[in-house]
Amino acid sequence: MRYEFLVGLRYTRSRKRAQGRNRFISFISFVSMLGIALGVAALIVVLSVMNGFQEELRSRILGVASHVQVQSMDGGLYNWQQVAEDARRHPSVLATAPYVQEQGMLSFDEGVRGTIVRGVIPSEEDKVADFGAYMKAGSFDALQAGRFGIVLGRDLALALRVQLGDKVTLIAPQGLVTPAAVLPRVKQFEVVGVFEAGMYEYDSGLALVHVEDAQALYRLGDAVSGVRLKLADLFAAPRVARELAGLITEPGLMVNDWTRSHANFFRAVALEKTMMTLILFLIVAVAAFNIVSTLVMAVQEKYADIAILRTLGASPASIMTIFVLQGSIIGLVGLLAGVVGGLAIANNLDVVIPALEAVTGATLWNKEIYYINELPSKVLPADVISIVSVSFVLTLLAALYPSWRASRVNPAEALRYE
């Protein structure tokens, strides 16, 4: 082993017999390691949660919404079969399904809830969405034309206190003009299923009926609101939407993809992730620059040692290497502890969060606020590598100035009073 490494390792280790300033320097080194470890662990956990949050939201939104929607600008799409056929000619389009989407009010007993009513064809809708997999009670295929069945989100069903087989009243906001007054259109629907997408926005505010029943209630005739498309690659949605705009021959249509319909939401999540990363890197930077004070104190304590090494022939570069090594060891130990701790927490959040809630008695994850019903986590190797690399560079930068000062020690001055 080169003597620079031997001396650097010896300076880093805490000795039981260390007293006075040596013991204090060892304590400061430990605090620096702990700060780096906490900062790195926090970065890994937060970025993993943000990655999981983004992916979970995207998958759950697109499990109920669609990759691309083709709608008529005047509100009614009559020739939807031709539109669907034109869309299927694009190689990226896997499936199409017509839909009717309107607002309504559901009433049962004394409960009343506003909702989005979506008319679908179950066999077609299953090709572009995942309602069949989300069913918790009843059957999605029970939506049959003329039966006036309805499938409710789980939270919506709980709010209305309905069960399978109950009759709910659906009130359409469009009025029916009579000689006496304008009356709302009202129709009773039988609850034939309950779904849970795991996203509060849909579970509490979406009701599904057959497309023909929706057309009859809202008096749309043969028209639908639009056609939903499923793509082979959801990230190609913006490009495919632009290409479909030129491919579909029907005039007066608007092609919208999921990145535009939910643009503000996903942009907000991405911005939050960026800002959280910057804030937590500042924590790591503060912890890393604690190494400066540690090494400055170590240099002051080791003035005589440095002078003796210089008189024995050690070069300034060797002295600098000793203290850079000492700072690097502090940083590496902190980084290693932070990575191990961060990965352990990020991969076991399903255990950590309930344990914290049980200890504190507080609800740390509310699905009504965060849209989804569980805290997701996804560790990306690229994120871990970036965190470790940037943190290690910060520790090296923090160690350079004190190490350079150590290399400039004049042996004669340092040993004058020894």
Side-chain angles (χ1 to χ4, degrees):
M1 181 184 295
R2 290 174 58 90
Y3 79 91
E4 293 95 337
F5 293 95
L6 182 63
V7 176
L9 288 171
R10 183 180 178 186
Y11 282 175
T12 305
R13 291 198 301 268
S14 176
R15 298 182 298 279
K16 293 183 179 179
R17 292 181 296 174
Q19 295 181 354
R21 294 183 65 182
N22 280 332
R23 184 179 292 275
F24 183 68
I25 292 170
S26 298
F27 172 74
I28 295 297
S29 299
F30 173 76
V31 170
S32 300
M33 292 178 188
L34 183 61
I36 293 172
L38 290 176
V40 169
L43 261 173
I44 291 175
V45 172
V46 170
L47 289 186
S48 299
V49 170
M50 295 301 293
N51 291 332
F53 190 66
Q54 275 185 308
E55 183 170 307
E56 195 72 13
L57 278 176
R58 184 167 54 239
S59 64
R60 295 194 183 198
I61 286 175
L62 296 180
V64 177
S66 58
H67 296 171
V68 176
Q69 292 184 108
V70 182
Q71 301 168 290
S72 174
M73 292 183 181
D74 60 9
L77 181 59
Y78 288 91
N79 192 18
W80 66 265
Q81 294 90 345
Q82 183 62 46
V83 172
E85 184 178 343
D86 290 342
R88 282 194 294 267
R89 294 207 307 268
H90 195 286
S92 296
V93 177
L94 298 180
T96 62
Y99 72 97
V100 171
Q101 188 153 307
E102 298 286 349
Q103 294 183 342
M105 182 177 293
L106 287 172
S107 173
F108 178 76
D109 199 9
E110 296 182 356
V112 178
R113 287 291 185 276
T115 183
I116 297 296
V117 179
R118 182 182 295 173
V120 299
I121 301 175
S123 59
E124 300 296 321
E125 186 70 12
D126 262 340
K127 299 176 182 177
V128 299
D130 300 325
F131 284 111
Y134 292 154
M135 296 301 295
K136 296 299 180 183
S139 171
F140 187 51
D141 293 329
L143 292 178
Q144 299 175 2
R147 180 183 173 182
F148 290 97
I150 191 169
V151 174
L152 303 178
R154 178 179 177 275
D155 292 317
L156 180 59
L158 290 175
L160 292 171
R161 298 181 181 179
V162 299
Q163 299 177 350
L164 292 181
D166 289 339
K167 300 279 189 178
V168 296
T169 302
L170 178 56
I171 305 169
Q174 295 86 349
L176 179 64
V177 180
T178 67
V182 178
L183 303 176
R185 289 199 292 273
V186 179
K187 182 66 181 177
Q188 276 198 331
F189 283 76
E190 179 185 353
V191 179
V192 297
V194 175
F195 72 87
E196 183 178 15
M199 190 164 179
Y200 185 75
E201 178 184 356
Y202 296 126
D203 291 342
S204 64
L206 181 62
L208 303 173
V209 300
H210 195 278
V211 68
E212 293 186 15
D213 296 342
Q215 288 170 331
L217 177 64
Y218 291 97
R219 294 195 170 185
L220 297 175
D222 294 331
V224 298
S225 299
V227 177
R228 289 150 51 83
L229 312 178
K230 183 175 183 178
L231 307 181
D233 180 9
L234 64 93
F235 295 106
R239 174 183 58 81
V240 175
R242 290 192 299 269
E243 294 173 355
L244 286 172
L247 183 64
I248 297 175
T249 58
E250 186 77 13
L253 297 183
M254 177 175 59
V255 183
N256 197 18
D257 65 271
W258 68 272
T259 63
R260 294 175 60 189
S261 57
H262 299 88
N264 291 336
F265 187 78
F266 285 107
R267 193 178 295 119
V269 173
L271 179 61
E272 183 178 1
K273 178 182 176 182
T274 301
M275 294 308 300
M276 288 298 295
T277 303
L278 292 176
I279 292 170
L280 291 174
F281 262 126
L282 289 177
I283 296 175
V284 176
V286 170
F289 281 98
N290 280 339
I291 297 174
V292 175
S293 60
T294 302
L295 293 184
V296 167
M297 294 179 66
V299 169
Q300 294 292 330
E301 180 68 22
K302 304 298 183 183
Y303 250 43
D305 293 6
I306 296 169
I308 292 171
L309 286 173
R310 289 297 309 278
T311 58
L312 292 175
S315 66
S318 296
I319 301 299
M320 188 171 180
T321 301
I322 290 171
F323 288 95
V324 168
L325 179 63
Q326 183 178 354
S328 300
I329 291 173
I330 294 173
L332 284 174
V333 172
L335 281 174
L336 181 61
V339 170
V340 172
L343 291 177
I345 295 173
N347 290 320
N348 295 280
L349 282 176
D350 55 338
V351 177
V352 174
I353 296 300
L356 289 176
E357 290 180 337
V359 171
T360 61
T363 301
L364 301 179
W365 188 261
N366 190 334
K367 66 179 180 180
E368 296 184 12
I369 298 175
Y370 300 107
Y371 292 95
I372 56 179
N373 54 6
E374 60 184 11
L375 182 62
S377 177
K378 182 180 181 181
V379 180
L380 295 180
D383 285 343
V384 177
I385 292 172
S386 299
I387 292 169
V388 171
S389 301
V390 174
S391 301
F392 184 65
V393 168
L394 289 174
T395 60
L396 282 180
L397 292 175
L400 287 179
Y401 175 72
S403 304
W404 177 79
R405 287 291 303 272
S407 69
R408 307 292 293 179
V409 170
N410 188 329
E413 291 292 333
L415 295 175
R416 175 178 296 178
Y417 303 105
E418 292 295 331

